Amino acid sequence: MTTPPTTKDDSTAQNAPADAPFAPLAFQKDLLDAQLREATLYTALHALQAKLPWSREPHEGWAGDKERKRDGRPATEGWSEEEASTPEYVTNVGFAA
């Protein structure tokens, strides 16, 4: 039984010159760009979460329990129609199509 020939994919391999010194902080640009996009999305998501009520639906909340070290939640009217109808703003932050 013969095995099909395999092709080597060198699209992600980047060989450094043999005489170049090792630079541990010299990251590839695509990795730095991905990290910046992730940080931008993380920041935008947490800013959005700080503005939204804790519950999507109206809820009366509950008291905290100091003995068990559990925080309570205040009553909330839930998300507005606008907040509930447009979830795309979370997925599109910081990314160009």
Side-chain angles (χ1 to χ4, degrees):
M1 177 182 240
T2 62
T3 59
T6 59
T7 58
K8 185 177 178 185
D9 182 17
D10 290 332
S11 62
T12 57
Q14 292 185 0
N15 298 327
D19 59 344
F22 176 68
L25 300 179
F27 296 107
Q28 297 176 11
K29 179 154 177 32
D30 60 337
L31 295 177
L32 294 174
D33 292 343
Q35 186 179 27
L36 178 61
R37 285 194 312 269
E38 186 275 331
T40 302
L41 180 60
Y42 180 86
T43 302
L45 177 62
H46 285 274
L48 176 67
Q49 289 172 337
K51 291 190 302 185
L52 291 175
W54 65 269
S55 176
R56 185 178 181 123
E57 303 295 326
H59 197 280
E60 66 273 2
W62 63 87
D65 186 358
K66 291 187 185 227
E67 188 173 307
R68 295 172 130 185
K69 298 181 182 176
R70 293 188 180 181
D71 294 335
R73 294 283 184 163
T76 180
E77 295 179 9
W79 292 7
S80 69
E81 290 293 326
E82 180 182 338
E83 293 165 340
S85 66
T86 56
E88 302 86 46
Y89 55 81
V90 176
T91 58
N92 293 331
V93 174
F95 291 96

